């Protein structure tokens, strides 16, 4: 995306409103009115074929009648005139269009959007929208929208796919006192998308935090890349949690993939903090726009009430923030600022006797102490203290330490005096919330931001290119055979090429060969049908386990063939695979699907009912790094089983993490060919004893 054009879109020095109207109530009137009310200092050119003045501004019949150059055209003409207007703007040399008009792809008229793009691309213009409310910027005194006013002043910037939500959030910024510099309605994203704006905002000095409302991304990979490169915190609320990603799939993994889980993974890999709902988006945006990340694990809570202290501690646990007792020297010092019955542990309870001085002294000491990584200050309104004075004491204490790299958040529980005190704090750069759990949630966002950025710092795992070469040869053979479903043996050849430890599996096309292979492998063995037409082998009666003798091998061979012919009479059966009977281990599943938004993804979960019933699985966008996979292993609800339960030793999580990294590298390298895969089950042994892929499945893309 052309940065100069984007700058003209976001910070225009002159604006034409094409479709400006003299009639109050029309969008073309409101945009002119908003530009004037917002205090816009650049030139405004209302464009209308018949009007002569609008809100005392001279009107031009077309952009071509304006003799000065124009940076941005805000388009408010009905849909049937938009392409003609775009053509005129292109000829005039306007580089940026903000198309408010609806009636494009959102109502099935992608053709109109394509037509618009064909014109704007020809002239090298950028297009915001169509189907948008417009753009707002406090620092540029620019309200180029039909939202009623500029937002409450602050340092966050909102990009939203819902225009109506922009208008609603604009108003809420005043009631919640969460400050925004810019609000951008992105609409249908025909041209300018989230990634383009995020990249532009990274160098915008008035934006300290980027806040996203996302319904769906068009290019997931571009989004991830743009977010990763950004130095500013990004927070996203994802709406629309449908199962569009769960393709009608032949593999197990396919049926477990869901847009929500994959988006969640992608946000983590992009370094984007998530919000759970609209309130949470405001809470977290406030903290991320005003405070540095929480870089360590030592969080100190100072309170004047035991109850709110306990509530804050409960929330900390819920958000996975460990609470430690303050060290001895901190406790000794803090004891000086509380009565004998106070507590200097953590939470530090100054008691209801606390006034400005105790807050000031204890905050100043604790915040400056090297042990402290972050501070949560809680206050319950009492008759012996003044909330505003407490807020001012806290702020003074923080300022006097001159420390800038540790976060502090405040919770003030009480009435309107607390509301006023909190507003004062926010206006002075300290995020303040009512309930203590809201404050702790905000601190959790600052911690999450730090942690996900750290995980990103490691490069993704890549595998030996020789493996890719071998895998592509196998794929070519399967394609030459006119198939997209691989047999287990073919899938295992690809897994092996990527260094995945598979249980060796060989093909027998006669009973005698099966007996010979069983003797080489050693009894007991497992026998399975090999047929590209039978994906679910057990369902077809095509699997026999624990076979212990030559005679049993012969019998199993015959039974498998009979069962499979009965299951699918026209199945092309290559033969029967003979493999070792792998010793018992904890069953896990590793798999992949091609997500429509993010491309190849890798999935992990525990096997058996955990995956069948509970769908207890987690995803990442491939490729992945080791730190991301280590996090994955802790994310599923059944994770403690890998740690060893009921006296069992812990499972070999290092080997499992290595396997998932290689697996992700495989599906990423071969993403032009592979649609979905499963390694199911993978048997994971005790720590140090590795694991084994027992069954393998690969489905190629249709070409
Ligand atoms: N050049 C200049 N002006 C023109 C041209 C042209 N080529 N063609 C028409 N106009 C003028 C018209 O004469 C009119 O001015 P007038 O009042 O002096 O007659 C003006 O442009 C507007 O045209 P209208 O036909 O009056 O259209 P109207 O204002 O009713 O609607 C609009 C236009 C707002 C673009 C409408 O088509 C639309 O798309 N509305 C939805 C917009 C929207 O909601 N977007 C955000 C979605 S997000 C959310 O949900 C909030």
């Amino acid at each position: 995306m052309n940065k100069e054009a984007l700058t003209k879109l976001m910070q225009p020095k002159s604006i034409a409103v094409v479709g400006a109207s003299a009639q109050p109530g029309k969008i073309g009137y409101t945009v002119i009115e908003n530009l004037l009310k917002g205090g816009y200092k650049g030139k405004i050119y209302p464009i209308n074929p018949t009007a002569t003045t609008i809100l005392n501004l001279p009107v031009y019949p077309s952009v071509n009648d304006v003799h000065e150059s124009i940076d941005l055209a805000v388009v408010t003409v009905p849909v049937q005139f938009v392409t003609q207007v775009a053509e005129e703007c292109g000829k005039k040399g306007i580089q940026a269009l903000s198309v408010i008009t609806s009636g494009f792809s959102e109502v099935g008229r992608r053709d109109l959007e394509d037509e618009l793009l064909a014109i704007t691309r020809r002239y090298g213009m950028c297009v915001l929208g169509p189907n948008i409310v417009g753009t707002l910027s406090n620092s540029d005194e620019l309200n180029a929208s039909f939202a009623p006013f500029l937002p409450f002043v602050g340092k966050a910037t909102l990009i939203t796919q819902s225009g109506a939500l922009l208008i609603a959030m604009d108003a809420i910024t005043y009631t919640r006192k969460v400050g925004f510099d810019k609000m951008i309605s992105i609409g249908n994203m025909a041209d300018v998308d989230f990634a383009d704006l995020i990249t532009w905002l990274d160098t915008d000095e008035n934006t300290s935090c980027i806040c996203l409302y996302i319904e769906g991304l068009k290019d997931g990979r571009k989004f991830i890349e743009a977010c990763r490169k950004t130095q500013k915190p990004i927070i996203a609320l994802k709406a629309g949690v449908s199962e569009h990603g769960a393709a009608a799939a032949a593999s197990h993994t396919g049926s477990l993939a869901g847009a929500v889980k994959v988006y969640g993974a992608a946000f983590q890999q992009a370094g984007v903090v998530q919000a759970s709902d609209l309130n949470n988006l405001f809470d977290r945006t406030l903290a991320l726009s005003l405070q540095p990340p929480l870089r360590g694990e030592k969080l100190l809570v100072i309170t004047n009430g035991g109850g709110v202290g306990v509530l804050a501690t409960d929330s900390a646990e819920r958000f996975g923030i460990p609470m430690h007792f303050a060290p001895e020297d901190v406790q000794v010092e803090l004891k000086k600022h509380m009565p004998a019955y106070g507590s200097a542990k953590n939470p530090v309870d100054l008691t209801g006797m606390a006034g400005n001085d105790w807050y000031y002294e204890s905050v100043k000491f604790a915040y400056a102490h090297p042990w402290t990584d972050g501070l949560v200050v809680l206050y319950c309104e009492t008759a012996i203290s003044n909330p505003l004075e407490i807020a001012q004491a806290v702020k003074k204490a923080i300022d006097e330490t001159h420390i800038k790299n540790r976060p502090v958040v405040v919770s003030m529980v009480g009435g309107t005096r607390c509301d006023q005190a909190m507003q004062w704090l926010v206006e002075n750069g300290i995020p303040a919330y009512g309930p203590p759990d809201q404050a702790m949630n905000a601190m959790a966002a600052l911690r999450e931001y730090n942690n996900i950025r750290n995980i990103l710092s490691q490069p993704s795992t890549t595998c030996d290119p020789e493996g890719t070469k071998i895998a592509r040869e196998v794929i070519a053979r399967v394609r030459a055979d006119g198939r997209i479903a691989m047999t287990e043996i073919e899938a295992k050849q690809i897994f092996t090429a990527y260094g995945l430890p598979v249980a060796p599996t060989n093909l027998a096309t006669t009973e005698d060969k099966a007996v010979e292979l069983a003797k080489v492998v050693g009894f007991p063995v497992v026998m399975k049908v090999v047929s590209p037409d039978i994906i679910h082998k057990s369902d077809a009666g095509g699997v026999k386990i624990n076979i212990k003798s030559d005679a049993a091998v012969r019998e199993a061979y015959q039974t498998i063939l009979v069962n499979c012919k009965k299951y699918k009479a026209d199945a092309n059966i290559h033969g029967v695979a003979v493999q070792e009977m792998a010793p018992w281990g904890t069953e896990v599943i590793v798999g992949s699907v091609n997500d429509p938004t993010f491309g190849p993804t890798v999935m992990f979960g525990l096997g058996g009912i955990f995956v069948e019933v509970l769908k207890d699985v987690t995803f990442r966008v491939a490729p992945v790094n080791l730190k991301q996979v280590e996090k994955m292993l802790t994310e599923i609800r059944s994770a403690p089983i890998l740690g060893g339960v009921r006296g069992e030793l812990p499972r070999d999580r290092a080997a499992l993490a290595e396997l998932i990294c290689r697996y992700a590298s495989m599906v990423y390298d071969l993403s032009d060919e592979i649609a979905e895969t499963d390694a199911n089950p993978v048997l994971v042994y005790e720590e140090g004893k590795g694991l084994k892929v027992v069954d393998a499945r690969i489905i190629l893309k249709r070409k």
Side-chain angles (χ1 to χ4, degrees):
M1 182 59 61
N2 177 342
K3 189 174 176 194
E4 193 192 332
L6 274 182
T7 302
K8 291 197 162 154
L9 171 73
M10 298 305 303
Q11 298 177 316
K13 298 212 166 26
S14 51
I15 302 175
V17 179
V18 188
S21 172
Q23 263 188 58
K26 282 199 179 182
I27 287 180
Y29 176 89
T30 308
V31 173
I32 299 280
E33 191 184 31
N34 277 346
L35 285 169
L36 295 171
K37 270 199 321 200
Y40 179 63
K41 299 287 185 296
K43 284 278 213 173
I44 305 169
Y45 302 105
I47 310 293
N48 181 292
T50 52
T52 49
T53 58
I54 297 175
L55 289 160
N56 296 326
L57 294 171
V59 174
Y60 300 78
S62 102
V63 285
N64 287 319
D65 298 305
V66 176
H67 298 302
E68 293 85 2
S69 67
I70 301 169
D71 279 355
L72 166 69
V74 178
V75 180
T76 61
V77 295
V79 65
Q80 64 272 23
F81 303 123
V82 171
T83 44
Q84 171 210 328
V85 164
E87 186 77 49
E88 282 168 18
C89 290
K91 283 196 182 124
K92 168 72 186 160
I94 299 173
Q95 273 189 282
L97 289 191
S98 174
V99 183
I100 287 180
T101 312
S102 301
F104 290 83
S105 62
E106 83 281 5
V107 292
R109 295 301 306 269
R110 180 166 298 279
D111 57 320
L112 292 179
E113 223 161 270
D114 290 345
E115 225 178 290
L116 171 64
L117 270 193
I119 296 165
T120 55
R121 294 245 157 96
R122 208 163 60 236
Y123 291 104
M125 305 155 100
C126 74
V127 184
L128 185 68
N131 187 32
I132 58 169
V133 165
T135 56
L136 300 94
S137 169
N138 269 314
S139 52
D140 301 293
E141 296 173 296
L142 174 76
N143 182 358
S145 81
F146 64 94
F149 33 68
L150 286 167
F152 185 71
V153 175
K155 284 277 199 179
T157 282
L158 171 75
I159 312 172
T160 167
Q161 242 168 327
S162 158
L165 199 73
L166 182 149
I167 297 175
M169 285 179 74
D170 188 16
I172 300 172
T173 61
Y174 286 87
T175 52
R176 291 287 319 264
K177 310 293 179 220
V178 179
F180 282 79
D181 185 58
K182 295 179 177 64
M183 291 192 148
I184 307 163
S185 166
I186 199 164
N188 297 1
M189 298 193 295
D191 182 30
V192 174
D193 61 13
F194 280 104
D196 298 324
L197 289 171
I198 288 166
T199 304
W200 188 87
L201 289 167
D202 196 28
T203 54
D204 174 35
E205 58 181 17
N206 298 301
T207 298
S208 68
C209 164
I210 302 167
C211 171
L212 311 176
Y213 168 82
I214 300 177
E215 285 171 3
L217 296 168
K218 284 189 175 166
D219 184 342
R221 299 256 162 188
K222 183 180 171 196
F223 174 81
I224 293 177
E225 277 316 302
C227 294
R228 274 189 190 164
K229 285 191 187 134
T230 304
Q231 299 304 311
K232 296 176 181 172
I234 304 173
I235 175 154
L237 174 60
K238 167 77 179 80
V241 289
S242 74
E243 293 285 313
H244 88 287
S251 76
H252 216 127
T253 308
S255 62
L256 293 165
V260 200
K261 279 186 172 149
V262 177
Y263 265 95
F267 286 148
Q268 285 198 43
Q269 289 173 274
V272 171
V273 174
Q274 283 189 79
S276 54
D277 56 43
L278 215 47
N279 271 332
N280 191 245
L281 184 67
F282 274 105
D283 289 346
R284 294 186 148 212
T285 298
L286 183 63
L288 288 163
S289 65
L290 295 180
Q291 291 290 308
L294 176 64
R295 294 195 170 85
E297 295 289 348
K298 308 287 177 7
L299 187 67
L300 197 78
V301 176
I302 296 179
T303 178
N304 67 343
V308 289
V310 176
L311 287 174
T313 310
D314 289 350
S315 311
E317 190 176 301
R318 212 167 43 247
F319 296 118
I321 306 177
M323 289 290 289
H324 306 274
F325 285 138
E328 196 56 34
D329 61 325
V330 174
Q331 292 198 31
V332 168
E333 179 62 29
L334 292 177
K335 271 279 182 196
K336 295 178 190 164
H337 312 295
M338 63 179 71
Y341 50 86
S343 169
K345 291 182 173 162
N346 192 15
V348 175
D349 185 0
L350 304 177
T351 79
M353 296 282 288
N356 310 342
D357 291 350
W358 288 357
Y359 266 101
Y360 169 77
E361 296 295 348
S362 49
V363 166
K364 189 170 175 183
F365 174 80
Y367 188 67
H369 194 280
W371 181 84
T372 310
D373 294 315
L375 190 64
V376 178
V377 182
L378 312 177
Y379 166 78
C380 287
E381 191 170 351
T382 66
I384 58 163
S385 61
N386 177 320
L388 183 59
E389 287 175 13
I390 297 284
Q392 287 166 340
V394 170
K395 166 75 178 153
K396 184 165 181 276
I398 298 285
D399 285 352
E400 285 175 6
T401 64
H402 301 292
I403 289 171
K404 298 263 183 264
N405 59 354
R406 293 179 192 172
V408 57
V409 300
V410 173
S411 147
M412 300 189 101
V413 188
T416 45
R417 291 195 311 159
C418 279
D419 291 344
Q420 284 157 4
M422 286 192 287
Q423 180 173 340
W424 185 88
L425 279 170
V426 170
E427 281 165 3
N428 285 280
I430 297 182
Y433 306 86
D437 54 309
Q438 246 169 293
M440 199 51 91
N441 185 320
M443 188 56 87
L446 296 167
R447 180 170 178 265
E448 273 169 47
Y449 175 56
N450 182 67
N451 292 354
I452 50 179
R453 295 303 301 194
N454 279 347
I455 287 178
L456 291 188
S457 56
Q458 205 180 54
S460 298
T461 303
T462 50
C463 291
D464 180 6
E466 187 57 24
T468 316
K469 194 169 154 261
I470 295 168
R472 288 198 181 276
E473 284 163 9
V474 178
I475 291 169
R477 284 201 296 274
V478 175
R479 291 257 186 231
D481 202 22
R483 289 185 279 129
I484 58 161
M486 288 198 174
T487 64
E488 179 183 339
I489 290 179
E490 290 158 344
K492 281 186 171 172
Q493 284 166 354
I494 292 184
F495 283 16
T496 306
Y498 274 84
L500 309 181
V502 300
T505 308
N506 292 301
L507 179 69
T509 47
T510 63
E511 265 179 48
D512 288 346
K513 182 70 181 171
V515 171
E516 188 191 311
L517 289 174
K519 281 186 173 145
V520 175
V521 170
F523 289 109
V525 294
V526 175
M527 292 172 65
K528 301 179 205 173
V529 67
V530 179
S531 166
D533 300 324
I534 300 176
I535 304 287
H536 300 288
K537 298 184 279 273
S538 297
D539 295 354
V543 180
K544 296 282 166 202
I545 62 167
N546 208 15
I547 300 161
K548 293 181 176 156
S549 66
D550 291 9
V553 168
R554 289 182 190 283
E555 192 190 327
Y557 191 93
Q558 288 306 333
T559 312
I560 287 172
L561 292 189
V562 170
N563 287 350
C564 291
K565 279 287 169 202
K566 225 186 272 171
Y567 179 77
K568 200 167 193 285
D570 60 346
N572 173 13
I573 295 176
H574 291 190
V576 175
V578 179
Q579 75 172 63
E580 68 165 328
M581 173 96 185
W584 179 87
T586 301
E587 274 189 30
V588 307
I589 175 170
V590 178
S592 73
V593 284
N594 249 303
D595 181 82
T597 310
F598 295 100
T601 60
V602 64
M603 183 210 73
F604 156 72
L606 251 64
I609 63 154
F610 294 108
V611 73
E612 299 282 351
V613 182
L614 302 176
K615 297 194 186 311
D616 186 17
V617 294
T618 179
F619 282 82
R620 285 294 182 280
V621 175
V624 291
N625 69 34
L626 193 59
K627 279 188 185 174
Q628 286 163 346
V629 173
E630 282 165 358
K631 171 107 195 310
M632 261 179 117
L633 298 189
T634 66
E635 273 172 4
I636 53 169
R637 277 167 286 154
S638 44
I641 290 174
L642 291 172
V645 285
R646 293 201 186 154
E648 275 172 22
L649 290 168
R651 305 286 105 186
D652 199 336
R653 283 172 289 197
L656 182 55
E658 159 96 19
L659 173 108
I660 297 171
C661 284
R662 286 180 172 275
Y663 203 97
S665 163
M666 171 183 81
V667 296
Y668 178 70
D669 286 353
L670 305 173
S671 61
D672 56 324
E673 293 283 3
I674 288 181
E676 47 189 278
T677 68
D678 276 343
N680 182 28
V682 178
L683 298 176
V684 187
Y685 302 119
E686 288 165 12
E687 232 161 44
K689 296 200 173 155
L691 40 72
K692 203 147 262 185
V693 178
V694 172
D695 204 349
R697 192 171 297 163
I698 295 180
I699 312 289
L700 298 178
K701 285 181 171 170
R702 282 187 196 284
K703 284 200 169 166

